[in-house]
Amino acid sequence: MTDNEGGSDGDFHGRQFQLLGAAMYRSFRCLWMLEELQIPYKYIPAQPQGQSIKSVNPLGKVPALIETHPSSSRPFCMYESAAINTYLGDMAYTLAPPTGRERLVPPPGTHLRGLYEQTVSCIITELDAQALWIHRKHHDMGQYFGHIPEAVQTAKDHFIRVNKVLAAQLHTNGGQYLVGQSFTAADILYVHCLGWSIAIGWHDGWQDDAKLQDYVRRCRQREAYQKVAAIRDREKAAFQEKAKM
């Protein structure tokens, strides 16, 4: 529902949203969440460490969410993809309870919410920050942070260990979703990280897990994922074309 993609450019109970970022990176997670929730938003492409993103997130990282409301003189700004998605899930359900659709963030104070928070924290701190990001930092961006093959190998070993725990959680839950019996924002984070692992060749540790493979395929078949994947692919093609010049 991005206005630059031809979707609705209305508001959401008086609130208007902008998502700054790049679909090639973690911004994909928030774009996917916004599409799942069917919240009208404006997508503003922004690269990490650019001036536009630094005006919202002093750390210079993408994504960032900007929310405006007629009753407030100042916009509400957020960064960190997992925090943005949890906020959007709670906010959307409070303002417009879904009819016949999944609740993407379980209700506060429930066991499911506790499991959701635990799962999200594990994905962000263990799978992402201590594994996948180390690869990007000391392999893909080694010219800035230093090429450290030993750190990258240790990170891969950590990814494999943590992913076995998350895969076991999926299996114990019936192989459909990570939390409860329906799709949640935790699945958005996990599928994005698994896709990241495929891109860097780290899927050798889980490619023989039929249930996990089926889970990824099923989540990627969702309409919201497909819309954002198309945005990402166009951005990637434009980036590669620019690199040739």
Side-chain angles (χ1 to χ4, degrees), residues 26-198:
R26 294 182 182 92
S27 310
F28 189 104
R29 303 164 176 176
C30 299
L31 291 168
W32 185 359
M33 184 71 169
L34 285 161
E35 291 291 347
E36 289 281 357
L37 294 171
Q38 299 181 18
I39 296 176
Y41 67 97
K42 182 176 183 180
Y43 172 46
I44 303 176
Q47 290 296 313
Q49 304 305 319
Q51 288 303 312
S52 61
I53 196 67
K54 282 186 175 180
S55 66
V56 182
N57 179 3
L59 296 174
K61 296 182 178 182
V62 296
L65 179 76
I66 302 176
E67 175 186 333
T68 57
H69 193 277
S71 65
S72 177
S73 60
R74 298 182 62 182
F76 173 61
C77 302
M78 287 188 71
Y79 51 88
E80 296 296 338
S81 58
I84 290 172
N85 282 4
T86 297
Y87 167 73
L88 288 173
D90 280 339
M91 181 273 301
Y93 190 85
T94 300
L95 295 178
T99 301
R101 292 188 292 114
E102 307 102 324
R103 178 166 182 164
L104 299 188
V105 176
T110 64
H111 289 173
L112 274 183
R113 181 55 171 261
L115 179 59
Y116 166 85
E117 297 286 2
Q118 170 187 290
T119 304
V120 167
S121 179
C122 180
I123 293 170
I124 293 300
T125 62
E126 302 290 341
L127 211 60
D128 185 324
Q130 295 192 56
L132 295 165
W133 171 242
I134 296 300
H135 177 278
R136 179 168 291 170
K137 187 175 183 179
H138 294 301
H139 183 276
D140 296 345
M141 302 177 69
Q143 68 270 35
Y144 304 110
F145 300 104
H147 290 280
I148 310 177
E150 298 84 357
V152 174
Q153 183 58 53
T154 299
K156 181 179 181 180
D157 294 342
H158 186 70
F159 173 88
I160 292 172
R161 285 195 300 272
V162 175
N163 191 49
K164 285 182 178 178
V165 173
L166 289 167
Q169 178 176 324
L170 182 75
H171 285 218
T172 301
N173 200 37
Q176 296 296 307
Y177 303 106
L178 277 175
V179 178
Q181 299 306 305
S182 62
F183 181 83
T184 69
D187 296 301
I188 289 177
L189 296 177
Y190 190 35
V191 170
H192 182 260
C193 282
L194 290 176
W196 189 347
S197 78
I198 293 172

Side-chain angles (χ1 to χ4, degrees), residues 219-232:
C219 290
R220 285 180 163 185
Q221 288 171 355
R222 296 176 71 89
E223 183 179 357
Y225 176 93
Q226 293 293 323
K227 286 183 179 180
V228 182
I231 298 173
R232 177 201 59 201

